[in-house]
Amino acid sequence: MKMGQFMCLGNLQHLRNRFGNGYAIKVKVVGDNVDNIKTQLMSDLPGIEIQDQHNEVLFCNVPFSHSSTDGRNSTQLPYNLAHVFEILNKKKEQKIIESYSVTQTTLEQIFVQLAGEDEDILSDQKDNKNKQSKKFYLFYSFENNIIYIIIVVVFCYNNNFKFFFLFLAIPPMTTRL
């Protein structure tokens, strides 16, 4: 649920495809060459977003598609995942990066993204300074006979936000006679 509206129903892969914003890439850089690698990645993978950096590890997001301009027209092209792996493998063979991983968007990232969209909406409403609000989000998925449930609660008071997450994994019930 989002802002009182039921948003989604489906398995984990459906939620990733519908609400995910691309592929999560983690790159461990060799030495202190981080700024150079950032520039190279942004040049080699148009649309890549460097989300975070901890020491020599870059946390990036590659969108499912990117814009390509031929001078007059702009078209949306899907990313070829083989191309992403090719670029990262070349950098690893050249010993520019130590290691990398490419994964799908996690369920947690999707929830934080959706909660962040509400935070943007609520922070735009500055005319009500003493406004209090609560938002509840409920996401679930059924995979491998396990029910996954995540509940997110967002409290807002005077534009101060607090997030609470509850994650449940419910295994299948077994009956004994």
Side-chain angles (χ1 to χ4, degrees), residues 11-22:
N11 63 23
L12 183 58
Q13 191 60 47
H14 172 74
L15 297 177
R16 284 179 174 155
N17 290 341
R18 177 144 184 228
F19 296 102
N21 55 358

Side-chain angles (χ1 to χ4, degrees), residues 15-114:
L15 297 177
R16 284 179 174 155
N17 290 341
R18 177 144 184 228
F19 296 102
N21 55 358
Y23 301 102
I25 297 180
K26 186 167 80 171
V27 178
K28 172 94 167 89
V29 178
V30 174
D32 58 354
N33 210 7
V34 176
D35 291 332
N36 186 27
I37 295 300
K38 282 183 186 179
T39 306
Q40 287 181 25
L41 287 174
M42 288 191 283
S43 141
D44 293 340
L45 298 168
I48 190 170
E49 178 185 338
I50 311 293
Q51 295 178 322
D52 206 356
Q53 172 187 339
H54 294 289
N55 298 325
E56 288 84 31
V57 179
L58 296 174
F59 297 89
C60 313
N61 183 61
V62 174
F64 290 126
S65 61
H66 63 94
S67 296
S68 175
T69 308
D70 64 0
R72 284 181 261 170
N73 299 327
S74 179
T75 56
Q76 202 70 7
L77 300 173
Y79 253 110
N80 182 346
L81 219 49
H83 178 66
V84 173
F85 279 102
E86 179 184 355
I87 288 170
L88 294 172
N89 271 329
K90 280 183 186 175
K91 294 194 182 313
K92 188 174 178 188
E93 288 170 1
Q94 296 168 347
K95 307 228 184 282
I96 297 172
I97 63 174
E98 184 178 317
S99 62
Y100 68 90
S101 68
V102 179
T103 60
Q104 289 183 316
T105 305
T106 64
L107 217 47
E108 178 187 5
Q109 291 167 326
I110 292 170
F111 301 140
V112 169
Q113 172 193 336
L114 290 174

